[in-house]
Amino acid sequence: PPRSTLFPYTTLFRSFKLWTMQQSQVLAANPDAAVKFATMLLTNPSGPLVDPNSVIDAFLAKNAVPQITTVLLEALKANRADQGPLQTRVLEINLKAAPQVADAILANEMFTHYDRKRIAELCEKAGLTQRALEHYTDAGDIKRVLTKGGAPGAAAPDAEFLSTYFGTLSVDDTLEILKDMLRSNMRGNLQTVRSEEHTSELQSQIG
């Protein structure tokens, strides 16, 4: 075959071989160089030169969460639909190891193709109550988060967020959730319920 045809395959082989042979040494000796090298491999214009998951695994084996996050944010900045699994993975990694970083990624709306159900569950476990509520769609999940408070030490959603949030739900779901909030913690949730009573739809129905 023409040399021009062979070149991409030669580049792929050499890059993969170099990465697999030297990834541990580079990560241990020079994390910054590893970030640059991994970013180069994953942002190749013709497509990643190595399996992105193998790169992720190599960084995680060295507990290099900030570094692999940097690599993936650069590699995934196009926010393509086919990158959904990798978007999910970078969020998973940070929700487990650095929840505030995941919170910032979600706040900046950098990704839109990740597994929202999976990320909702991890947000709840990480104590990111508002993020969990933003991602859940099932009334049962929403009720659980609001009545049980999510993970130990999780911050309660602020009143302004809840006011806006309840406005996105149906009246029936809102009523059911507010009543369950009172049943589970009358003292703690009474103010929240009272703040929702002013809406015209709820005034005539809430008990």
Side-chain angles (χ1 to χ4, degrees), residues 16-168:
F16 180 75
K17 186 175 181 180
L18 180 62
W19 175 255
T20 54
M21 289 177 60
Q22 298 186 4
Q23 59 188 2
S24 296
Q25 295 93 318
V26 173
L27 277 165
N30 193 335
D32 290 339
V35 167
K36 291 179 181 178
F37 184 46
T39 301
M40 177 195 72
L41 294 177
L42 297 186
T43 59
N44 177 59
S46 299
L49 296 176
V50 294
D51 177 9
N53 285 298
S54 72
V55 176
I56 295 171
D57 292 341
F59 276 83
L60 293 184
K62 296 295 183 180
N63 200 32
V65 172
Q67 288 82 5
I68 191 56
T69 299
T70 297
V71 172
L72 290 173
L73 291 182
E74 179 63 25
L76 302 176
K77 65 182 182 180
N79 188 29
R80 300 197 314 267
D82 63 301
Q83 297 173 331
L86 290 175
Q87 292 181 3
T88 302
R89 192 158 188 206
V90 70
L91 288 168
E92 285 178 337
I93 290 166
N94 282 282
L95 282 167
K96 293 175 181 178
Q100 296 309 311
V101 174
D103 186 38
I105 294 172
L106 292 169
N108 288 321
E109 300 180 344
M110 302 173 71
F111 304 140
T112 58
H113 303 290
Y114 55 88
D115 184 337
R116 294 184 66 84
K117 172 70 171 175
R118 172 63 176 159
I119 296 309
E121 294 167 351
L122 290 176
C123 284
E124 183 180 356
K125 290 179 181 178
L128 300 179
T129 307
Q130 290 188 191
R131 297 294 176 209
L133 291 171
E134 288 170 350
H135 286 74
Y136 278 130
T137 57
D138 181 76
D141 292 324
I142 295 167
K143 187 189 303 182
R144 182 186 63 254
V145 173
L146 288 172
T147 58
K148 297 185 178 179
D158 62 56
E160 183 177 355
F161 169 83
L162 284 177
S163 181
T164 301
Y165 182 73
F166 280 122
T168 68

Side-chain angles (χ1 to χ4, degrees), residues 176-194:
E176 185 178 351
I177 291 168
L178 291 175
K179 289 176 180 178
D180 276 1
M181 289 175 69
L182 286 179
R183 292 189 194 103
S184 66
N185 185 354
M186 172 71 79
R187 179 175 297 180
N189 292 324
L190 183 59
Q191 185 58 44
T192 297
V193 173
R194 281 178 173 170

